[in-house]
Structures are given as C-alpha cells and as structure tokens.
Amino acid sequence: MEGHPTHTPCHCLAVRQAARHVTQLYDRHLAASGLRATQFALLSTLDRMGSLAVHELAGHLVMDRTATGRALRPLERDGLVAIGAGRDARTRALSLTPAGRERLAAARPLWQRAQAAFRTEYGEADALALQSALGRVVGRSPVPKEGAAT
C-alpha cells in the first residue's frame, strides 16, 4: 500500500517507524505553540529536573549529545533556554528562562490533547502497556503518573 509503512521483521525499523508516526501526531498538536515534540520534551525535562548540563539532559532524553545541542540552538535563539557556565570549565548549564516557562505552560494543554489522541487511536490499556514496554527497553520503570509531561 502506497503511503503506509510495510511490515518489517526488524525491531529497530519497527520502533523507528512507530516513533516517527507518534512524533508526527504530537507535532501536529503542538504546532500552534511553535514547538515541536522534541523541543517540548527538552523544555519539559528542564522544567522538571532544573538546571542540567548538556550531557545530563541528553542522558535523560536518551539522545546523542550532539543532537541535543542542535535541538537546543533554536530554543536558545528564541530565548526559551539559557546556557550558562556549568559546574566546571568543561560543562555548560542549561535552564529554562521565564519565556521558556511561559511557552511550556501554553503548550501543555496541546500536549495533553496529543496524549488523549494517542490513547484514543491506540487504546487506553494498550497505550499504557506500550509505554511500560518501551520504558523497559530504555531501562526505565515504572510508567510515570498520567498527566505528567514528558
């Protein structure tokens, strides 16, 4: 079928296809906020965890440090994230700015709609089971309480 992913025996490809599909769903919902799903996750993690070094943020998000840096550039440019001196000369500390907190607060209801849309599309029980299974894949457990942003 044209336009639809084909079945694959490859676990890596299947997870990547699913991740792209889910990211597109969240991006559509978050579009009005001017944030993409990855940017929302970065801001939300900084809001929840406080000031972090780039490598710490990358670790929390299971992202490559270089990719995290690239994702941070537009957030810094738009004044949503501040990058300052870290604990030592080799690190930089990231923190949300007041504008970043405002943008995140404005985006949260859109993120909640994306969450609801995913649960509707996939099924409530299956969505929770999937989240739990994927958490095990990356070595995290248990599933966070519903309503807690990424």
Side-chain angles (χ1 to χ4, degrees), residues 4 6 14 25 28 41 49 51 56 64 67 99 113 116 120 123 134:
H4 295 284
T6 57
L25 170 76
R28 282 192 305 274
M49 305 296 296
S51 182
E56 292 170 325
D64 176 84
R113 286 187 210 129
T120 298
L134 293 173

Side-chain angles (χ1 to χ4, degrees), residues 5 8 16-17 20 27 38 54 57 60 65 69-70 75 82 89 95 100 111-112 121 123 126 128 130 133 138-139 143:
T8 176
R16 291 177 61 88
Q17 286 172 330
R20 284 189 290 272
D27 281 347
T38 303
V54 175
L57 179 61
H60 284 289
R65 192 173 175 276
R70 277 194 308 273
L75 298 175
S95 58
W111 173 83
Q112 289 169 339
E121 180 181 310
D126 286 341
L128 287 172
L130 177 64
V138 296
V143 171

Side-chain angles (χ1 to χ4, degrees), residues 2-134:
E2 189 176 322
H4 295 284
T6 57
H7 175 75
T8 176
C10 177
H11 301 301
C12 182
L13 178 57
V15 169
R16 291 177 61 88
Q17 286 172 330
R20 284 189 290 272
H21 175 78
V22 172
T23 298
Q24 291 165 4
L25 170 76
Y26 279 73
D27 281 347
R28 282 192 305 274
H29 282 274
L30 289 167
S33 72
L35 295 174
R36 297 185 57 90
T38 303
Q39 294 171 322
F40 179 87
L42 288 165
L43 294 177
S44 182
T45 301
L46 286 173
D47 186 49
R48 190 174 60 255
M49 305 296 296
S51 182
L52 294 171
V54 175
H55 74 277
E56 292 170 325
L57 179 61
H60 284 289
L61 295 171
V62 191
M63 287 177 70
D64 176 84
R65 192 173 175 276
T66 304
T68 303
R70 277 194 308 273
L72 285 165
R73 278 189 215 121
L75 298 175
E76 181 186 23
R77 178 197 66 220
D78 294 346
L80 305 178
V81 172
I83 302 177
R87 288 185 211 83
D88 60 47
R90 297 172 302 153
T91 61
R92 297 180 303 155
L94 308 167
S95 58
L96 278 183
T97 64
R101 280 190 178 71
E102 286 178 28
R103 179 79 64 92
L104 184 60
R108 274 206 173 99
L110 303 173
W111 173 83
Q112 289 169 339
R113 286 187 210 129
Q115 289 279 96
F118 181 80
R119 286 192 310 269
T120 298
E121 180 181 310
Y122 198 68
E124 185 77 36
D126 286 341
L128 287 172
L130 177 64
Q131 190 176 28
S132 180
L134 293 173

